Amino acid sequence: MGLIEDARKVAEEFEYPGEKVNKGVKEFIRQMDEGLQETGKSMSQIPTYVTSVPNGTEKGVYLAVDLGGTNFRVCSIKLHGDTTFSLTQSKVAIPRELMVAKTSQELFSFLAKQIESFLKLHHNDHFEGFHQKRQAGQDLTDEHFFKLGFTFSFPVHQIGINKGYLIRWTKGFDIADAIGKDVCALLQAEIDALQLPVKVAALVNDTVGTLMARSYTSPGKTGTLLGGIFGTGTNGAYVEKLDKVTKLKKMEVKGDFDSTTGNMIINTEWGSFDNEMSILPDTPYDDALDKESNNPGIQMFEKRVSGMFLGEILRRAILAMITDGKTELFSDESSKTNDIHSTCTIADDSPLYKQWGVDSSFLSIAHGDQSQGYRITRQALSKDLGVDAASSEDAEAIKIIAEAIGRRSARLSAVAIGAVIIATGNLTLTAGEAIDDEQKQVIEEEVVDIGVDGSLVEYYPGFEQYIRDALREIEGIGEKGEKRIRIGIAKDGSGVGAALIALVAGGREQE
């Protein structure tokens, strides 16, 4: 058997046909429903207490801050009321000593000071006017305060739109006295200590922010149904009917929210879909990756979909081909087609031999390579992976496997998107009614709008098309239903999205 046939055999292990896609959708819907009824299930289905999405007509100036890792970002977003906005921002590194401070006050005081500096620089008239009114003893109403959305990318137990208790720190932070405290209250206390005209209106998950940002900027009249992240990680947030979120009634601490809309945005945390591995596809490479990860048995959907893991899956597949001795990958024999007639060598310290050594961007390069003799892939093999003098046949074999891994990721992504669309009943009109026969165009009111963000959907070749191919194969969507699904990029969920959640939290105020 030749090298290309060997590569195709490996690629077949990543096939995810329509029959399995449909089984996946049914199980995804079952786990969604389970998570809406009870806490502690595979799919968390976390209530966000955000009960409406914007439609693009909202106006005003809102603040957003984002503590997601080693940087702290402060933004102000001016909504123009015509689906457009302008954004001003600043970013500062968190001093290492504050990440492990003795008290939470030290960190949150630093954050509040960054907000103060930002206001003085970018909104000084409002800042000075506020203080003059305060010193004159004038009554200060809500309109004198900026509403702020706080994106806090650490595990919290959220019990209201602006109330959430820190469960644990991650990403190098370790401040013991913050555990179990309301992070919004901690930030508000330090804002108040500096007498700033700011109210923390919303605690924000960036996936929910993606949904909100898309709903404001999307071109149609219909609100966005789903915000999905397909990048380093994967997650989704969608608009659910409030009466389906039955676990709200069972919660010991009941959060405040506006129930008049009849809806609530749910943060699915779908990266943990089917941790039990009842229907997810599996290969020896997936299995080995999971066993050697820092969270075995957890985030099993994410480990097959997201950019963090695709490069590692490819590395393990390549390594298996090199070490089993039965294929000609990177061997002298396969170098016979090498146009410089030299022997293929793999450096002793090649990233191929190191866990996480292959970045997922390499898959994009190989997958999208249309150059003669796969020159671009061969250059990347040499520069990034220490494989010198690879043949065009070697590069073609890598491309075949990379394509299969990327395609499976996209088809699994379609399982999540398709399940949400079907579970929420957003394709209940027959597709025939939704399409204008004369124009052969989808009637705007019947568009199902999806907002997406992340490196895979933005940069991976053909990722959206692979998703659409799979959506057409899903029972209940089909070719006509797929035409009604509009997928658009939604940028900056932690900035613009957070500001929009602050707007919704404070009521739809017009400028």
Side-chain angles (χ1 to χ4, degrees), residues 317-327 329-330 346 352-353 387:
I318 292 171
L319 207 57
M321 289 184 75
I322 295 170
T323 55
D324 79 352
K326 295 175 187 171
T327 70
L329 184 64
F330 305 144
I346 305 173
L352 284 172
Y353 299 126
V387 180

Side-chain angles (χ1 to χ4, degrees), residues 251-264:
M251 289 182 172
E252 289 177 24
V253 183
K254 294 192 168 44
D256 294 327
F257 59 90
D258 173 16
S259 61
T260 59
T261 66
N263 294 323
M264 182 174 285

Side-chain angles (χ1 to χ4, degrees), residues 97 110 117 188 218 321 339 451 457 483 497:
E97 62 271 18
F110 172 82
S117 300
Q188 188 68 61
S218 68
M321 289 184 75
D339 54 13
V457 282
K483 285 188 174 71

Side-chain angles (χ1 to χ4, degrees), residues 129-146:
F130 175 82
H131 280 284
Q132 285 166 11
K133 288 185 179 72
R134 191 182 193 105
Q135 285 161 4
Q138 294 180 22
D139 286 341
L140 295 169
T141 61
D142 262 6
E143 67 188 27
H144 294 109
F145 290 83
F146 286 112

Side-chain angles (χ1 to χ4, degrees), residues 3 328-338 391 393-394:
L3 176 56
E328 298 176 345
L329 184 64
F330 305 144
S331 70
D332 292 349
E333 290 83 355
S334 71
S335 293
K336 64 181 181 290
T337 56
N338 192 322
S391 70
E393 196 176 26
D394 290 329

